[in-house]
Amino acid sequence: MLYLSQQTGLLLGVVKALVIMTIATLLAFLLERWLLPSSGTVLLILAGVIVTALSVPNRIAYGAVVFGAMAFNFLFTEPRGSWHMQDVEEVSTMTVFFAIGIVVVYLITRERMQRFSLQDAELRSTILLSLSHDLRSPLTSIIGNLSTFQLYQHKIDKAQQDELIDAAMVESERLHTYLENLFQATRFEHGIVNLTTQPTLLVTLVQRVIERFADQNQINLITEDSAVNSTVEVQTSLFEQALYNLFDNALRYRKDNSRVLCRIGASASSVWLTITNEVASPLNETPTTWLKPFYSSRRGDQGHGGAGLGLSVAHSIILAHHGRLTLNTDQNTLQVRVDLP
């Protein structure tokens, strides 16, 4: 699938380059009829090369330089409509055009690679920071609980032993969820997704996800009559992860002593669910930024924001199922709505 994605991207790049260069050449041809000098013609075609280089991969952009040179030779030099060139000035003009085109494409490509390198470095830094925080916390808790259990199991009662084990299990689940999100984010980033779907009752799926939470009694589930028997075509395990991320986000950042409300409904063309929670602090950020990978409200080591993967991965999974995820907020409430065909 990754290979097909790359091939499709390459084909789209070629088509885009041909369209841009054809428009530039046609514009030069039309303006030449209004006595535009050959130097102006060449500059218009060169402008097409620059726009192409900014829009497509470098190897296609180099092809645009060749296309521009051939178009200039065939359409704008004597004798017209042939590949022969007789005028020394026109030969020099095309040579200079070709040299400048190659240099321009090289410089644009180099700048683009430097920008990508900087973005990669920033992403690596973000991932390392996220790993250091979001892996360290549950690992420290697991080690602390298990070492305490090992050292003092003969000195504490059964209830305290169970509490230590339960705490370690909760943190283990948190660690597993984080690593699974990291894995899925990488898959979606590189287009390595192959869904095997089956019809599933959405109500059953949601109930199964809710049962995974220790504080499931803090979630109110309301199912409208129209959605009781509604099915969706999903890959069950993957879609469960998306729902788990949405509920986990709602429970994690809800206001103390408040409950999360989940409502499921259906229309003629879709099935939908909403997850609504009161927030602990006023929302002043743009909701769309929360769907970006590794976006976090934490700044450096300050704050309590997570890795920024949960909503992003949920969004990618829902899109892969031809659904839509939207965020609706006011200062005190966050509502996540999922629509599925």
Side-chain angles (χ1 to χ4, degrees), residues 1 187 193-200 232-239 320-321:
M1 182 170 288
R187 287 181 65 203
V193 183
N194 187 18
L195 297 181
T196 304
T197 63
Q198 60 184 14
T200 307
V232 287
E233 285 282 343
V234 295
Q235 181 171 316
T236 307
S237 59
L238 197 59
F239 200 77
H321 286 86

Side-chain angles (χ1 to χ4, degrees), residues 48-332:
V49 170
I50 294 173
V51 173
T52 301
L54 291 170
S55 307
V56 300
N58 61 330
R59 51 182 171 174
I60 301 176
Y62 283 117
V65 177
V66 176
F67 179 95
M70 293 176 65
F72 177 74
N73 182 6
F74 191 80
L75 297 174
F76 303 104
T77 64
E78 297 295 339
R80 301 293 178 102
S82 74
W83 304 112
H84 299 289
M85 298 181 69
Q86 298 175 346
D87 190 280
V88 175
E89 182 178 346
E90 290 177 340
V91 174
S92 301
T93 300
M94 192 184 78
T95 303
V96 171
F97 164 83
F98 192 82
I100 291 176
I102 293 294
V103 170
V104 165
V105 172
Y106 170 77
L107 292 176
I108 290 175
T109 301
R110 183 178 177 183
E111 189 277 334
R112 180 185 295 158
M113 294 301 295
Q114 289 176 340
R115 187 172 69 251
F116 286 163
S117 296
L118 179 60
Q119 290 173 348
D120 286 344
E122 291 176 348
L123 180 59
R124 283 196 297 270
S125 176
T126 303
I127 292 174
L128 287 174
L129 181 62
S130 178
L131 286 172
S132 67
H133 185 279
D134 293 273
L135 291 182
R136 182 178 57 197
S137 297
L139 278 175
T140 301
S141 179
I142 293 168
I143 293 170
N145 283 292
L146 292 181
S147 60
T148 301
F149 176 81
Q150 183 182 43
L151 290 173
Y152 299 106
Q153 59 178 315
H154 302 299
K155 300 180 181 179
I156 57 179
D157 58 33
K158 183 67 167 56
Q160 291 175 314
Q161 292 179 14
D162 290 342
E163 185 178 343
L164 289 171
I165 296 299
D166 289 343
M169 289 296 297
V170 168
E171 292 301 323
S172 298
E173 176 70 19
R174 176 183 165 194
L175 184 60
H176 175 267
T177 300
Y178 175 77
L179 292 174
E180 186 65 23
N181 279 331
L182 188 61
F183 170 68
Q184 296 297 350
T186 304
R187 287 181 65 203
F188 280 101
E189 182 72 18
H190 294 281
I192 311 174
V193 183
N194 187 18
L195 297 181
T196 304
T197 63
Q198 60 184 14
T200 307
L201 279 172
L202 182 59
V203 175
T204 303
L205 201 62
V206 171
Q207 289 173 338
R208 194 157 63 223
V209 171
I210 292 175
E211 288 171 0
R212 293 170 57 183
F213 290 95
D215 48 356
Q216 58 183 277
N217 59 330
Q218 300 302 315
I219 302 174
N220 288 345
L221 176 60
I222 300 175
T223 304
E224 297 185 358
D225 293 339
S226 59
V228 171
N229 297 313
S230 296
T231 61
V232 287
E233 285 282 343
V234 295
Q235 181 171 316
T236 307
S237 59
L238 197 59
F239 200 77
E240 276 190 18
Q241 184 181 352
L243 293 177
Y244 182 90
N245 288 351
L246 297 179
F247 280 111
D248 182 58
N249 185 78
L251 289 168
R252 188 185 301 271
Y253 299 110
R254 65 189 169 96
K255 184 178 180 180
D256 290 342
N257 301 319
S258 67
R259 301 174 72 86
V260 173
L261 173 63
C262 177
R263 184 182 295 271
I264 304 175
S267 63
S269 59
S270 67
V271 182
W272 54 265
L273 69 87
T274 59
I275 300 173
T276 308
N277 65 283
E278 291 184 64
V279 294
S281 56
L283 296 171
N284 299 314
E285 297 172 302
T286 306
T288 52
T289 59
W290 302 339
L291 301 179
K292 298 178 181 178
F294 294 103
Y295 174 83
S296 177
S297 59
R298 187 177 64 242
R299 294 295 174 262
D301 246 3
Q302 304 298 315
H304 302 286
L309 281 175
L311 284 178
S312 173
V313 169
H315 184 228
S316 297
I317 292 173
I318 291 164
L319 286 180
H321 286 86
H322 309 291
R324 184 173 74 252
L325 185 149
T326 51
L327 302 175
N328 302 302
T329 66
D330 58 32
Q331 282 199 329
N332 302 310

